[in-house]
């Protein structure tokens, strides 16, 4: 038993699942009926459950010809249905937007289909492979799906096709039997039909590009938290800015607690552990080091992994001194190291109302949250 192409794996899910997901996103689409080869109905039903394809109301066994399959699907459509959208299960790169445009035009005209103008030069060729002429391609378009039709028109067309006993290769041709001509909606070259193994690779490239635009997988959030003890005889450095104060923070480095929280958030978003793993305090080379240097190392690591900083939000908790006046300078210095505009970094300071170790001025704490976006490796070269 050969596997039909709609069940081939593509970008982590069967081709049919991608197609149904795209169709499901169209608000105007109420119910979806899947028409598949009879012996694979069970498989399709399993996919519907496994991938929570909630709009699918039924799985129907198809027929020998395309039109037999469409007719089998149409027979399950309730009489009250206005428009029927017919779409090939093996066109997984369809966008909800294109389906929506076809529906909008069909509302006005009764029937509309996606198609693209023919771009290659067309030759008419004799049986012995001699060119007999060049076909004017100006009026020629290649039919795609979706093809959207008023349900009553499609039913009439089937009655006529069955009466005449003719075979039609698409719904547009069926409608022509009853004198109805579809309106063409400019489709997309990416709306390919999977017919050969190479088409799967092409579809994957198209889908990768689409996914990178909105995929949650490309966004990474990170959180950092740090505390340092306040002592005499140390300078106070926060966000790379030296702040005059009677106490300073204790630590192996300059103990810039705010910058440490930011480093930890960045490393966390990358899934790269924490600052202690990258810059151990047992290593003498980090003794007394300016923490902006550590941040620079972390930012370089992020950039090597294809991450860019979307934004960072940092809160420093200190009872004294008042920090608000230093915040613009902190944001400017951190932004420069992160190679972003200052508005990307937001710093704020709070006291803890004299409560806890911060309130007793035993230490200063900082928290940071960052959002990183990862540019996808590969997938370039496919223009969108
Ligand atoms: Mg620290």
């Amino acid at each position: 038993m050969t596997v039909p192409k709609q069940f081939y794996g593509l970008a982590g899910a069967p081709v049919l699942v991608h197609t149904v997901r795209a169709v499901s996103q169209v608000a105007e689409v109420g119910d979806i009926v899947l028409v598949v080869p009879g012996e694979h109905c069970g498989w399709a039903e399993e996919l519907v459950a496994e991938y929570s394809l909630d709009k699918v109301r039924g799985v129907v066994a198809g027929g020998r010809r395309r039109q037999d399959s469409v007719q089998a699907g149409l027979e399950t459509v309730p009489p009250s249905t206005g428009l029927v959208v017919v779409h090939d299960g093996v066109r997984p790169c369809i966008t909800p937007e294109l389906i929506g445009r076809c529906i909008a035009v069909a509302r006005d005209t009764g029937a509309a289909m996606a198609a693209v103008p023919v771009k290659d030069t067309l030759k008419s060729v004799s049986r012995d492979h001699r060119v007999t002429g060049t076909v004017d391609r100006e009026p020629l378009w290649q039919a795609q799906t979706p093809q959207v039709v008023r349900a009553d028109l499609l039913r009439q067309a089937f009655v006529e096709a069955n009466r005449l006993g003719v075979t039609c290769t698409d719904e547009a041709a069926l409608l022509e039997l009853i004198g109805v001509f579809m309106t063409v909606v400019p489709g997309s070259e990416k709306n390919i039909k999977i017919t050969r193994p190479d088409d799967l690779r092409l579809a994957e490239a198209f889908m990768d590009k689409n996914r990178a635009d909105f995929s949650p997988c490309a966004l990474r959030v990170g959180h950092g938290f740090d505390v340092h003890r306040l002592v005499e005889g140390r300078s106070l450095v926060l966000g790379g800015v030296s702040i005059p104060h009677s106490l300073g923070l204790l630590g192996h480095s300059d103990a810039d607690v705010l910058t440490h929280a930011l480093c930890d958030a960045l490393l966390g978003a990358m899934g790269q552990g924490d600052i202690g793993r990258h810059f151990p305090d047992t290593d003498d080379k980090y003794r007394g080091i300016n923490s902006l240097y550590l941040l620079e190392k972390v930012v370089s690591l992020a950039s090597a992994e294809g991450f860019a900083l979307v934004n960072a939000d940092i809160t420093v908790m200190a009872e004294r001194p008042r920090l608000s006046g230093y915040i613009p300078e902190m944001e400017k210095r951190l932004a420069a190291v992160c190679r972003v505009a200052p508005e990307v970094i937001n710093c704020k300071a709070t006291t803890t109302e004299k409560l806890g170790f911060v309130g007793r001025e035993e230490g200063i704490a900082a928290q940071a949250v960052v959002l990183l976006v990862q540019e996808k490796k590969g997938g370039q070269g496919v223009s969108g």
Side-chain angles (χ1 to χ4, degrees), residues 332-345:
K332 200 173 114 189
R333 290 195 186 187
L334 294 171
V337 176
C338 293
R339 304 168 210 161
V340 293
E343 55 268 26
V344 168
I345 311 257

Side-chain angles (χ1 to χ4, degrees), residues 238-251:
L238 292 172
V241 180
S242 289
I243 297 164
H245 190 47
S246 55
L247 303 171
L249 293 172
L250 184 63

Side-chain angles (χ1 to χ4, degrees), residues 29 36 62 82 99 285 311 332:
V29 171
V36 296
I99 301 169
K285 95 179 145 204
N311 74 310
K332 200 173 114 189

Side-chain angles (χ1 to χ4, degrees), residues 1-11 13-19 35-37 39-40 43 47 88-92 192-200 203:
M1 191 162 73
T2 57
V3 174
K5 296 177 184 72
Q6 57 269 42
F7 294 100
Y8 284 6
L10 168 70
V15 167
L16 183 63
V17 170
H18 292 289
T19 308
V35 186
V36 296
E39 67 271 32
H40 295 305
W43 192 355
L47 292 180
D88 296 323
V90 290
R91 289 187 192 267
I192 57 168
K193 192 170 178 175
I194 307 284
T195 49
R196 296 160 307 178
D198 276 355
D199 296 332
L200 280 173

Side-chain angles (χ1 to χ4, degrees), residues 75 132 192 257 325 328:
E75 276 162 11
T132 56
I192 57 168
V257 65

Side-chain angles (χ1 to χ4, degrees), residues 65 67-68 70-72 74-75 154-168 174 177-178:
R65 300 171 301 172
Q67 77 192 59
D68 300 330
V70 173
Q71 192 170 5
L74 185 64
E75 276 162 11
L154 192 55
R155 286 195 187 94
Q156 274 180 46
F158 272 115
V159 170
E160 187 63 6
N162 295 334
R163 191 182 70 80
L164 298 172
V166 294
T167 295
C168 297
L174 276 167
L177 297 177
I178 56 166

